[in-house]
Amino acid sequence: MDQFLTFGIVGLSTAAIYAVIGSGLVLTYTTTGVFNFAHGAAGMLSAFMYWQLTVGWGWPVPVALVVVLLVLAPGFGLLVERFVLRPVQALGEAERLVMTVALLSGLIATARWIWDPNVARPLPMFFAARKPIHLGPAVITWHQAITMAVAVAVAIGLRILLYRTRAGAEMRAAVDDRALVGLTGADPVRAGRVSWILGTQLAAIGGILIAPTVTLDAAQLSLLIVSAYTAAVFGRLRSLPLTFLGAVVVGCMESYLTGYLPQNEYLPGLRLAAPAFLLFLALLVFPHRRLRGRERRLARVPVPTARGTLVFAAVVIAFGAVLASLLGEADLITYGAIFSLGVVALSYVPLAGYAGQVSLCQLSMAGIGAVVWGHLGAHGQLWALGAAILVSAAAGALVALPALRLSGVYLALGTAAFAVILDRWIFGIPAFHVFGLRIALFDQGSVDVSGPRLFGLRLDSGRELMVFAAVCLALASIGVAALRRSRFGRRLIALRDSEAAYATLGGNLLVAKVAVFALASGIAGLGGALYGMQQRTVTADQFSLIAGLPIFLVAVVGGLGAVGNGLFAGTAFVAPTNALIAIAPGTANLVALLPGLAGVGLGHNPDGIVSRFRRQWEPLARDRIALPILLCVLALAWALRFTDVINDWTYYGGSLVIAAALRAWASARQAEPAEPEIPVEWWGLRRAWRPEDEEVLARGVAAG
Amino acid sequence: MASLQVSGVTVSFGGNRALDGVALTAEAGRVTGLIGPNGAGKSTLFDVASGLRRPSSGQVRLDGRDVTRARPSARARHGLARTFQRLELFGRLSVRDNLLVAAELGPERRRADRIVTEILHRLELTDLADTSPDALPTGVGRLVEVGRALAIRPKVLLLDEPAAGQDVEETERFAELLRALTDDGTAVVLVEHDMSLVMAVCDEVYVLDLGKIIAVGPPEVIRSDETVLAAYLGDA
C-alpha cells in the first residue's frame, strides 16, 4: 500500500507538470488556432537556459527564475508570434502546422548546438537538501510539493485571468470568432500575443520543473511533452479542466507502469511509449467530426506529362550515374542518401500533396522497410524488397484508421504518436515468435543490411547501390506521376478539396485513405530499404520521429504536390549540408539548423520551390540550341573530371555556372517584346476586343 | 413509391431545434420545391437527406429503402446526388475532371468520358472544360456543380440554390434543364430563393420556417397562403 501511495504521489507530481504544459498548449490553440508542436521545445529551451544561469553561471535560483520566466520566455513567445506565426495566420492549417514543426526541429538543433549533448547536465531539484514531508505513510519531496502547488496556482490563475479580466474576455472571444471580435473593439492580435506569452511561460515552468527528474536532453525533453499533448487531447484542445484531468490520468499511468509493469525484456519500452499509446487511443475515440467542407487555400497540383516524366526519370538516373562515377567510397555512402531519402520524401507527394493527409511518421515507415529487408533480404533476394514494401504498406494502412476520423493537426498528432510508439517501444523489442515464425526488428541494437541480387549480379558496392537507388527513385517518380493522371489520383485530389462533396458523389473515404496511406508507406518502405543498403547497418535512432522532421520540412519547402520533389528533397536534405560540413567541419551544428530555418522561411510558399524551379528552367529545356550546348558541356566536364583533368570543385561549380548562364541566355532568347499595357477599361477602345478578354474579365469578377 | 421520403426528422444544435419533425416526399419525374426564409433549416434538411448530418430522430428512405444510418457514399450509390449552397467544387481539378471524378464513381463508370462530354455539351460548358472552377463566376460554378451531380446518373437530385448568381437568361435555360431532367424520370428537390423559378418549375412546394413545415401544396396555392406570407413578410 505504501508503494502504491508513493507511486501515486510521483504520478500526481508528474501530472501537475503535464497539466501546466498542457494548459499552455490549449491556451494558444484556442486563442490563435495554432497547435504548437514546438511547445515542448520551448519548455526544453527554458530548462537549458535555467540550467545555464543556475548551474553554468552560478546565479541564485530566484534571479534565474525571474530572468527565464519573466524575461526570456515572454520575449521568445513574442518573437515566435510576430515573426514565425503571424505571417502564416491567414494561411491554411497545414502551413501553420509546418511552421511549428520547423520551430521544433530548429529549437532542438539550436539547443544541441549551444549545449553539447554528450555532456551530462544534472539539474538539482528545488529544496533538495530539505527533509521530505511525511503525510501518513506517504513521503513527498519539496520538489513534488512545489510542483503540485504550482499546478493548483496555475489552474486558479488561469480561471481568474479568463473570467475576471478584460484580456481574458478578449481571449475567450477570439476563440469563438476572431473576425467578429475585431468588430467589437477588442483586439484579436493582442489576445493572441498575450496567449503566446502565457503559453510559453507555462511551457517554461513545466520544463524547469520536469528537467531535474529526467535527463537534460534536447530531443528527449521535447518529446516528453507528448504526455502533455495527451492531456490536452483529453480536453479536446479546448477545455482546461479536462486537460488537468487528462494530465492526472497520464501522470498516474506512467508512474504506476514504472512500479507495476512486469519486468521482462519486452515491456520497458512500453512505459516510455505509454503516453503516445494513450494519445493514439484518445484520438481514436475522439467524437466523429463532420466531413470537412471545401478548403479554399490549397496549392495547385501540376499534372506531369508522360514525356516530361520520362525525361525527368532519365535525368534522375543520369544524375545517379554521374555521382556514382565520380565519388569515392565514403562519399558514395553519404550522398547515396540523396536517392534513398528522396524516395522517402516522394512518399509525401501522394499522401500530403494529393490527398492532404499530413503524416509525421513516414521515416518510421522507412525504418520498417529497412528492417524487413535487412532480415529477409540478407542474401539479396529481390522478393524481400517486395515484402519490405508490403509490410510497410500494411503498417501504413493501420495508421490510416484514425485518419478517417482525423484531419489536420489531429492527424499529424496521431501519426507523431505512432512514430513515437515505434521508436520508443516496438523497434526496441527483442525477436519473438508468432505461430513458429521468428519476427525480429532492430533486436535492441543494429541490423546489418546488404544489397540486392539483380539478374544474377550482387549489387553491393556503394557505386552500384547508388545507381540502383537512382533507378528506384526514377521508377517511383514515374509511378507517382502516373498516379496523378489516373482515376485514383483525381479521387485523392477531390477528397482533399472537399470531403463532403466526394462522399456525396459516392466516394468511399475509408478505402481512399487506407489506400493512399498504404501506398505512401510502401514507397517510404522502399526508401528505407535502399537507405539501409547504402548505410550497411541501421539502428532504430535513424528512423525516429525527430530524425524524420527535417525530411518532412524539406519536402514541404519543395512543394508537396510536385513529383520532382523526391529528387529535390533528397538533394536539398543531403547535398548542401554534407558539402558544407566537408568545407567547414565546424558548421555541423549550423547545418542541423538549416531544415528548420528553411521550413520557417519558405513554409508559407505553398507552391514550393520545385514548381518555381521548373518555371525558371523551362526556357532552357525548350531551347533547341542552348540545351544541346549544355548537354555537350556537361558531358565534356564529366569526361575531364573522370580523367582527373579538373577537380571536384571545378567540375560541380563550373557545371552550375555554365547551366545558369545558358538558362539566362535561353530566357533572353525566348522573351517576347513586351506589349504596352492598356488598362482594362480601355480594352476594345485603344486596342481591338479579343475573345479571351471576356474570360479574363469573368475571372476578375469571380475573384472579387 | 416515392423516390425520396423524409419523415419526422428532428435535428438539434445545442438547445435549438434546426428541424422539428420535418416530413417531405419527392416523386420521380417531379420537381419538389423547398422554400423558406434564411435559417429555416433547408440546407440542414439536405444534409440529413444526403447523410452529412445524422438526425436525432426520424427516417430517410430512398426508393422505399431505409437509409437513415447509411453513409453519404452509400446513399449516392442508391441514386441520391446533391449540390451545395456554398460551392463545394474540387478547386484543384479542371471542370472536366470535376465531372469525371463523379462519373467514375457512378454506375456507368465505363462510359465516364462519354457521359462527361454529354453533360458538358448539355450545360454549354464545353468551352470551359479545361478551366479551373476557381476561375469561374459563381453562377457558372453552380452549373458545374449541377453537372457533377448529374454525372453519377442520380434518381434523386437535391439542388441547393442552383440559380443563385445566374442572370435571367441563364435562369430560363436552367428551368428548361430541370424540366428535361424530370422528363427523364429524375426526382428533383429544389431549394431556391428565386420565387419566379420555383413557381415556374415546381409541381409541389414545401415551406419550411424555423425548422417546421408550415405549408405544402401546388405553387399557385402556396403563392397565396397566409401562413407563408406571414413567414416571409412578418405578421405586421
Side-chain angles (χ1 to χ4, degrees), chain B residues 18-116:
Chain B
L19 293 175
D20 191 358
V22 170
L24 179 144
T25 301
E27 308 276 356
R30 289 163 66 90
V31 179
T32 305
L34 179 62
I35 61 170
N38 286 331
K42 304 181 294 291
S43 294
T44 305
L45 184 59
F46 270 20
D47 283 351
V48 171
S50 58
L52 290 179
R53 191 180 292 282
R54 192 159 284 184
S56 45
S57 64
Q59 236 185 16
V60 180
R61 287 179 171 274
L62 273 174
D63 271 342
R65 191 195 311 248
D66 185 358
V67 294
T68 314
R69 302 189 72 78
R71 288 184 177 176
S73 52
R75 298 180 198 213
R77 283 194 290 277
H78 287 137
L80 180 84
R82 70 167 290 183
T83 67
F84 295 83
Q85 182 188 16
R86 191 170 174 263
L87 281 179
E88 291 285 346
L89 289 164
F90 306 133
R92 295 185 299 165
L93 296 175
S94 65
V95 169
R96 182 192 302 279
D97 281 353
N98 264 266
L99 271 61
L100 199 54
V101 167
E104 287 167 348
L105 288 166
E108 297 175 48
R109 61 202 66 177
R110 288 177 194 279
R111 294 180 59 241
D113 280 318
R114 194 177 302 172
I115 290 173
V116 170

Side-chain angles (χ1 to χ4, degrees), chain A residues 254-545:
Chain A
E254 279 186 25
S255 180
Y256 285 123
L257 280 178
T258 307
Y260 296 103
L261 201 66
Q263 295 296 317
N264 67 39
E265 53 194 341
Y266 295 100
L267 293 176
L270 175 60
R271 194 194 70 75
L272 293 173
F277 240 122
L278 202 59
L279 175 59
F280 200 66
L281 291 177
L283 289 167
L284 268 180
V285 297
F286 223 73
H288 264 296
R289 63 181 173 83
R290 289 193 66 207
L291 292 182
R292 200 176 53 205
R294 188 177 165 206
E295 223 174 298
R296 285 178 159 69
R297 290 172 294 208
L298 295 176
R300 294 243 163 260
V301 184
V303 187
T305 60
R307 185 171 166 270
T309 308
L310 289 176
V311 170
F312 173 74
V315 168
V316 172
I317 295 170
F319 183 44
V322 166
L323 287 183
S325 66
L326 298 179
L327 294 176
E329 195 57 34
D331 282 343
L332 282 167
I333 293 176
T334 306
Y335 292 98
I338 287 177
F339 302 100
S340 51
L341 293 182
V343 174
V344 177
L346 183 68
S347 72
Y348 280 110
V349 174
L351 185 63
Y354 298 171
Q357 309 294 308
V358 177
S359 165
L360 297 179
C361 65
Q362 287 311 95
L363 194 63
S364 307
M365 298 300 161
I368 293 174
V371 85
V372 171
W373 168 255
H375 289 296
L376 297 182
H379 302 293
Q381 312 91 312
L382 215 52
W383 61 263
L385 201 55
I389 293 170
L390 283 178
V391 174
S392 307
L398 194 67
V399 180
L401 294 178
L404 185 65
R405 288 161 167 262
L406 309 173
S407 68
V409 67
Y410 295 108
L411 179 58
L413 263 178
T415 54
F418 194 80
V420 172
I421 293 168
L422 286 178
D423 173 27
R424 289 193 180 173
W425 182 35
I426 306 288
F427 281 165
I429 61 177
F432 55 94
H433 290 82
V434 178
F435 302 121
L437 184 69
R438 183 176 183 273
I439 296 182
L441 296 159
F442 285 92
D443 253 347
Q444 296 177 302
S446 59
V447 173
D448 291 334
V449 187
S450 49
R453 188 179 290 279
L454 199 64
F455 308 121
L457 291 173
R458 187 68 187 261
L459 307 182
D460 230 3
S461 73
R463 199 154 277 133
E464 291 159 349
L465 289 172
M466 179 178 262
V467 175
F468 181 63
V471 171
C472 287
L473 176 59
L475 291 176
S477 300
I478 290 173
V480 171
L483 174 76
R484 170 64 186 89
R485 293 192 298 272
S486 73
R487 176 185 295 186
F488 184 49
R490 278 192 294 274
R491 286 185 185 182
L492 291 179
I493 291 171
L495 163 81
R496 166 84 196 272
D497 285 1
S498 174
E499 281 185 357
Y502 180 73
T504 53
L505 290 169
N508 189 321
L509 296 172
L510 179 63
V511 169
K513 288 188 178 182
V514 168
V516 73
F517 262 96
L519 175 76
S521 302
I523 296 173
L526 170 65
L530 295 171
Y531 182 66
M533 291 174 202
Q534 288 165 338
Q535 300 297 308
R536 320 280 177 173
T537 303
V538 286
T539 62
D541 287 346
Q542 289 169 287
F543 302 101
S544 67
L545 170 69

Side-chain angles (χ1 to χ4, degrees), chain B residues 158-221:
Chain B
L158 312 180
L159 300 175
D160 201 343
E161 300 190 21
Q166 293 186 352
D167 59 28
V168 177
E169 195 186 325
E170 287 167 338
T171 306
E172 278 172 11
R173 281 211 303 273
F174 188 70
E176 282 169 26
L177 171 73
L178 289 182
R179 287 189 200 102
L181 285 174
T182 50
D183 289 345
D184 294 345
T186 310
V188 177
V189 184
L190 176 69
V191 165
E192 189 50 67
H193 285 296
D194 182 343
M195 284 304 134
S196 57
L197 175 66
V198 171
M199 296 303 163
V201 299
C202 291
D203 299 291
E204 190 168 39
V205 177
Y206 286 72
V207 186
L208 195 60
D209 186 33
L210 297 173
K212 289 184 177 173
I213 298 288
I214 57 169
V216 184
E220 55 277 10
V221 175

Side-chain angles (χ1 to χ4, degrees), chain A residues 542-576:
Chain A
Q542 289 169 287
F543 302 101
S544 67
L545 170 69
I546 297 293
L549 293 181
I551 300 176
F552 170 68
L553 290 172
V554 175
V556 172
V557 169
L560 291 171
V563 174
N565 202 6
L567 180 65
F568 167 80
T571 310
F573 180 65
V574 175

